[in-house]
Amino acid sequence: MDIDAWVWWLIGAVGLGIPLVLTAMPEFGMFAVGAVAAAVVAALGGGIVAQVLVFVIVSVALIALVRPIANRHRADRPRIATGIDALKGRQAVVLERVDGSGGRIKLAGEIWSARALDAELSFEPGEQVDVVDIDGATAVVM
């Protein structure tokens, strides 16, 4: 049984689609589209040289055009702070006196250990402080 060239190109396209799904690397998808274009050329009777040229040209063109656009969109997207990064810059209320050696604050509805950024400063209960950093499980405030 002799399989036509266009079928082989479609099998290659599916083969390239598998790592696209598994690795989320869009380049594999662009190569898969190149393989589909080569399958079309093969189905229309184009020779192997034309098929390979179409595969290479379409794949490289997609990578050259799509990758910069995708990178630009990724860079323009606002970064959402999560975890301890989301706590930096927030305000907290002092529950127990905070100085350079320690204390307690209420931050984002939770009680945290805290210490003053400047060891010479101290904050009394009820005062509002700004969280400048998180050092382990201790909020550094000022």
Side-chain angles (χ1 to χ4, degrees):
M1 179 169 138
D2 191 23
I3 299 178
D4 291 335
W6 67 270
V7 174
W8 285 113
W9 281 109
L10 288 180
I11 291 169
V14 170
L16 288 165
I18 292 169
L20 167 67
V21 173
L22 295 177
T23 65
M25 291 180 60
E27 291 82 1
F28 284 110
M30 295 172 210
F31 286 131
V33 171
V36 170
V40 170
V41 171
L44 294 174
I48 188 68
V49 173
Q51 295 169 35
V52 171
L53 280 175
V54 166
F55 171 73
V56 170
I57 290 169
V58 169
S59 298
V60 169
L62 283 172
I63 290 173
L65 294 173
V66 174
R67 186 187 268 171
I69 293 169
N71 287 340
R72 201 169 327 126
H73 283 285
R74 188 178 306 128
D76 290 346
R77 188 172 32 177
R79 185 175 169 267
I80 298 172
T82 59
I84 61 172
D85 290 331
L87 299 175
K88 294 177 185 176
R90 294 195 56 181
Q91 287 195 331
V93 176
V94 176
L95 298 177
E96 295 175 12
R97 187 173 194 267
V98 175
D99 55 24
S101 61
R104 296 231 181 264
I105 60 170
K106 187 167 190 173
L107 171 62
E110 298 178 345
I111 298 176
W112 280 72
S113 297
R115 67 176 166 79
L117 177 64
D118 183 350
E120 296 178 12
L121 291 179
S122 65
F123 304 96
E124 299 302 322
E127 283 188 65
Q128 293 249 331
V129 292
D130 293 318
V131 177
V132 294
D133 197 13
I134 303 291
D135 182 16
T138 303
V140 180
V141 300
M142 62 180 259

